[in-house]
């Protein structure tokens, strides 16, 4: 019996976020260059997206490239960007068939023009789709996002559009990249690392965290289902007592 058959579809997380980690180690284990791991990581992305669509998850957000990743060797950065351009280009047809809407968050202006254009084209082409919202966090840093939100709000206060007393959590959320999404209920990190690495720090305030030793290129939809089942076994209390939530 697949993990999928055991999942309670009425208690699905609406939003699953993933830190895809371990591509480099996966390649190294096979005596290959790191980019070999990233290429195989794309196969995992495809399978997991398919799994999320099949299940009916509404939002899937993938940590694809962090602001800190710009500090990697130039050759690796260029190879990842090229992989991204090719993958996005190839996947558009698949996204249209599966009713997936592509979205991107992060400091996208940092991306090479070819990558930025390909991404924008895919975002625009898939914008009428009403199924899974697949968000790629690219050149993304959560602290940058939070500072950016604070600046946006400060500008509105300065111009008189907003008063200081109006600032609350909702106003803050509306100034994050993720303004139109629910918070992730489940955050998955692969590769056996127990860190959040500057990812969606505000949004995961109440997320359930799931860590697996599997390296990202080995992660498949069945692993996503296993994580969701684990999530469904947890009691989410939001600061209340067990008796209150039951
Ligand atoms: C982390 O593994 C992975 C990345 C920084 C890149 C992830 C990118 C992809 C899987 C390509 C996805 C493309 C699209 C279009 C979604 P790592 O290199 O940090 O691995 P390590 O920790 O073993 O070194």
């Amino acid at each position: 019996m697949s993990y999928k058959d055991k999942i309670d579809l009425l208690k699905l997380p609406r939003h699953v976020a993933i830190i895809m980690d371990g591509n480099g180690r996966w390649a190294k284990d096979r005596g290959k260059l790191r980019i070999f791991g990233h290429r195989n990581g794309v196969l995992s992305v495809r399978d997991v997206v398919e799994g999320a669509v099949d299940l009916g998850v509404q939002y899937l957000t993938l940590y694809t490239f962090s602001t800190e990743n710009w500090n990697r060797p130039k050759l690796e950065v260029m190879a990842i960007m090229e992989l991204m351009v090719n993958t996005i280009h190839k996947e558009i047809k698949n996204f249209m068939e599966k009713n997936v809407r592509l979205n991107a968050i992060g400091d996208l202006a940092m991306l090479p023009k070819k990558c930025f254009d390909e991404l924008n084209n895919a975002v625009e082409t898939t914008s009428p789709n009403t199924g899974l919202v697949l968000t790629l966090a690219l050149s993304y840093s959560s602290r940058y996002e939070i500072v950016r939100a604070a600046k946006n709000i400060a500008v509105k206060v300065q111009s008189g559009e907003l008063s200081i007393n109006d600032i609350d959590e909702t106003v803050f959320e509306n100034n994050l990249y993720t303004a139109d999404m629910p918070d992730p209920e489940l955050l998955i990190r692969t590769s056996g690392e127990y860190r959040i690495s500057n990812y969606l720090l505000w949004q995961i305030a109440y997320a359930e965290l799931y860590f697996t030793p599997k390296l990202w290129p080995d992660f498949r939809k069945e692993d996503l289902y296993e994580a969701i089942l684990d999530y469904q076994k947890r009691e989410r209390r939001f600061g209340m007592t067990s008796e209150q939530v039951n």
Side-chain angles (χ1 to χ4, degrees):
M1 194 183 193
S2 154
Y3 286 119
K4 188 177 177 218
D5 304 320
K6 297 185 189 160
I7 291 175
D8 181 347
L9 295 177
L10 297 175
K11 288 188 194 157
L12 275 187
R14 284 173 72 196
H15 186 171
V16 177
I18 307 184
I19 302 176
M20 311 183 284
D21 196 14
N23 294 351
R25 275 164 283 167
W26 190 88
K28 198 172 170 207
D29 289 348
R30 287 160 180 77
K32 304 273 192 184
L33 295 175
R34 297 176 58 82
I35 188 64
F36 182 70
H38 298 315
R39 273 197 211 111
N40 279 276
V42 171
L43 304 181
S44 304
V45 170
R46 189 175 296 139
D47 200 63
V48 167
V49 168
E50 198 177 283
V53 169
D54 288 351
L55 203 58
V57 171
Q58 293 175 41
Y59 296 86
L60 178 67
T61 301
L62 304 177
Y63 206 1
T64 309
F65 196 85
S66 71
T67 309
E68 291 75 20
N69 286 152
W70 289 116
N71 299 321
R72 291 194 172 193
K74 206 167 167 218
L75 216 61
E76 182 177 348
V77 170
M78 278 164 52
I80 292 179
M81 291 300 143
E82 190 165 325
L83 182 63
M84 222 129 60
V85 173
N86 294 338
T87 306
I88 293 168
H89 187 77
K90 270 197 253 162
E91 289 302 312
I92 290 187
K93 193 168 164 272
N94 199 16
F95 292 156
M96 296 313 286
E97 276 167 20
K98 296 202 175 326
N99 196 21
V100 171
R101 178 156 70 85
L102 188 70
N103 179 33
I105 57 172
D107 188 8
L108 305 179
M110 288 283 288
L111 296 173
K113 186 170 180 323
K114 211 171 154 195
C115 192
F116 181 82
D117 290 348
E118 195 65 59
L119 186 66
N120 267 345
N121 175 48
V123 167
E124 198 153 305
T125 308
T126 61
S127 64
N129 292 348
T130 54
L132 174 76
V133 178
L134 171 64
T135 301
L136 304 181
L138 281 169
S139 191
Y140 176 85
S141 144
S142 188
R143 286 185 174 180
Y144 174 91
E145 178 186 32
I146 289 170
V147 170
R148 178 180 167 274
K151 280 188 190 164
N152 285 348
I153 293 168
V155 168
K156 285 175 196 160
V157 170
Q158 203 172 34
S159 70
E161 188 187 325
L162 202 67
S163 95
I164 288 185
N165 290 332
D166 292 335
I167 301 173
D168 58 10
E169 291 187 13
T170 306
V171 167
F172 207 87
E173 274 161 12
N174 289 340
N175 282 278
L176 295 171
Y177 290 127
T178 51
D180 47 2
M181 295 183 212
D183 286 342
E185 294 98 333
L186 173 61
L187 171 70
I188 300 171
R189 182 174 188 143
T190 60
S191 93
E193 307 283 1
Y194 299 92
R195 283 191 295 277
I196 303 300
S197 301
N198 210 356
Y199 191 44
L200 302 174
L201 297 178
W202 172 285
Q203 297 88 338
I204 60 163
Y206 287 102
E208 296 295 330
L209 308 183
Y210 181 87
F211 298 97
T212 166
K214 275 210 177 174
L215 304 177
W216 178 249
D218 288 327
F219 196 89
R220 288 291 180 271
K221 61 175 82 154
E222 196 59 18
D223 300 297
L224 171 72
Y225 297 152
E226 188 177 8
I228 292 177
L229 253 185
D230 188 273
Y231 159 85
Q232 291 192 332
K233 288 190 195 125
R234 301 187 192 183
E235 183 183 73
R236 307 187 73 215
R237 291 198 293 275
F238 304 98
M240 291 182 284
T241 66
S242 190
E243 290 69 30
Q244 281 175 302
V245 291
N246 287 303

